[in-house]
Amino acid sequence: MANGSKSGSSKSGKGKPTKEAKAAAKAARRQASKERRTQLWQAFQMQRKDDKLLLPLMIGALVGAGLVFFLVGLIWGLQWFLLPIGIVLGILGAFIIFGRRVQKSVYKKAEGQAGAAAWALDNMQGAWRVTNAVAGTTQLDAVHRVVGRPGVILVAEGSPQRVKALLAQEKKKTARLIGDTPIYDIIVGNDEGQVPLSQLQRYMTKLPRNIDTKRMDNIEGRLAALSARGGGAAMPKGPMPGGAKMKGMQRTIRRR
């Protein structure tokens, strides 16, 4: 009985966190929440300076939603019940407007910079396996490889004349390993037949689903072995600022 009592108390002791642990977890959550609010406020201030329409649109969404719900409520005498609902929905709409305009601004600043497509691919939501710069040139043109439910997607950024040759070469090597799995190729840009950076993620999510996750794992393993044998082209983790020094980076990129 004594052994059983001791065992039970030890289990309950292990299962329940101490007061200190609870306090530490609460403090960590509070700190994380404070940091998120600070980052959000900083992003708002930066966007507000560059985007003169931001505040009018956000205020318009808030006031408009509240006014619509208030007027609808007048019909049934429920205006004071529906008004708070309208205000909450207006706040939600204002945040959606803020998020979309921030995203648009970020893509606009990144567009045309080396590494912008790689940055967009790294920020995709969902089961996408991204390998940056599987091929590249000393001018920082690059081909990135993505394995997903559509199959294999090769995404190129840089000079269209140079990346077309890179794409063809990479597509040929990839086809040898993956059999009849579909291969898609995309050139990021604003010319005819290209996909703008801001629409890259949406374009890829609209591609048909051709393979399952098991097939994805198999393909990823084969292509990883190919990359290990051939090495990879070093690319920036995000968009490169204009005029940045690239000599060291260019030396690391495999000549094609």
Side-chain angles (χ1 to χ4, degrees):
M1 290 294 292
N3 289 338
S5 174
K6 188 180 291 184
S7 174
S9 63
S10 64
K11 285 183 179 179
S12 63
K14 288 182 179 179
K16 294 181 180 180
T18 62
K19 291 183 179 181
E20 291 80 5
K22 287 181 179 179
K26 187 176 180 180
R29 289 195 298 269
R30 189 182 297 114
Q31 181 63 26
S33 178
K34 182 179 179 182
E35 289 177 359
R36 284 195 297 270
R37 290 196 300 269
T38 301
Q39 291 172 358
L40 188 63
W41 178 250
Q42 290 174 346
F44 172 75
Q45 291 292 349
M46 291 174 63
Q47 184 67 22
R48 184 174 62 85
K49 291 178 182 178
D50 297 333
D51 186 356
K52 302 304 180 184
L53 285 176
L54 178 63
L55 269 180
L57 288 173
M58 292 179 68
I59 294 172
L62 175 59
V63 174
L67 183 61
V68 167
F69 273 75
F70 183 82
L71 293 176
V72 171
L74 282 174
I75 300 174
W76 295 287
L78 298 173
Q79 63 272 23
W80 300 115
F81 173 75
L82 292 180
L83 179 60
I85 298 175
I87 291 174
V88 171
L89 291 178
I91 293 172
L92 178 61
F95 270 101
I96 292 173
I97 290 171
F98 168 64
R100 288 184 176 178
R101 293 187 76 84
V102 167
Q103 185 181 47
K104 183 179 178 181
S105 176
V106 169
Y107 276 112
K108 186 176 180 180
K109 291 177 181 178
E111 197 165 357
Q113 297 184 29
W119 164 77
L121 293 173
D122 283 339
N123 285 280
M124 288 191 66
Q125 301 292 323
W128 301 92
R129 287 85 181 275
V130 180
T131 305
N132 288 332
V134 294
T137 69
T138 55
Q139 291 82 17
L140 294 183
D141 309 300
V143 175
H144 314 292
R145 184 176 65 229
V146 183
V147 179
R149 294 295 299 275
V152 177
I153 306 105
L154 300 175
V155 181
E157 60 176 324
S159 168
Q161 292 74 24
R162 292 191 295 263
V163 296
K164 283 180 180 179
L166 287 177
L167 272 174
Q169 186 178 20
E170 198 61 32
K171 195 171 184 178
K172 186 177 180 181
K173 288 194 302 183
T174 302
R176 292 173 185 165
L177 292 176
I178 66 172
D180 59 353
T181 302
I183 302 176
Y184 299 89
D185 56 87
I186 300 169
I187 297 179
V188 177
N190 296 314
D191 295 335
E192 187 177 354
Q194 300 177 353
V195 178
L197 179 67
S198 60
Q199 298 177 22
L200 177 60
Q201 295 183 358
R202 184 184 303 175
Y203 180 90
M204 291 179 61
T205 55
K206 288 184 177 181
L207 292 174
R209 296 189 173 190
N210 300 308
I211 62 176
D212 57 20
T213 52
K214 185 177 180 181
R215 178 68 174 164
M216 286 170 57
D217 293 337
N218 182 272
I219 289 172
E220 187 181 23
R222 293 184 184 184
L223 294 176
L226 175 66
S227 298
R229 290 197 303 266
M235 282 294 292
K237 294 295 183 183
M240 287 286 290
K245 295 181 180 180
M246 304 181 187
K247 292 181 180 180
M249 186 176 298
Q250 288 175 349
R251 285 196 297 269
T252 63
I253 292 181
R254 177 158 46 98
R255 293 182 179 272
R256 294 281 178 175

